[in-house]
Amino acid sequence: MNRGCAPRIIARRIYEPVGPDEPPRWLVDRVWPRGLSKAAAGLAGWARDAAPTTPLRQWFGHKPARFLEFRRRYLAELRAHPEVADALVVAACESGVVLAYAARDETHNNAVVLREYLMERVDG
């Protein structure tokens, strides 16, 4: 889907404070982050269905050695069900979006892969 926009899509840990001029935050995890209230999260939305399926998430277990295979499988899930990310595509084109995630590893997580997928969708 080419939306004809120049999106601003940022992946950032949910526990980091909201930055100045930061686009709206969307939680992109299937499970609510521990120790975080909904008020403190400051979210525009929760794209739970755009997160990896529970079996894939559990298989990955945030093990960096599994990341390339996780990426392949997660992209396959997203491409098989593009509707799960439609709201994020719209948000990215309208005002930009922060893909908020709880994982500690800032390089090997679902938000990094989801960002890649969203960039594909908006760039066509």
Side-chain angles (χ1 to χ4, degrees), residues 11 58 84 89 97 110 120:
Q58 290 173 342
V84 300
V89 171
V97 66
N110 65 298
E120 281 178 14

Side-chain angles (χ1 to χ4, degrees), residues 43-63:
L43 297 173
W46 184 3
R48 180 183 303 179
D49 292 336
T53 60
T54 298
L56 179 57
R57 179 178 55 82
Q58 290 173 342
W59 171 83
F60 174 46
H62 297 286
K63 294 182 172 113

Side-chain angles (χ1 to χ4, degrees), residues 34 36 45 49 83 93 96 107 121:
R34 288 184 184 170
L36 187 68
D49 292 336
E83 70 280 359
C93 286
T107 306
R121 292 260 320 255

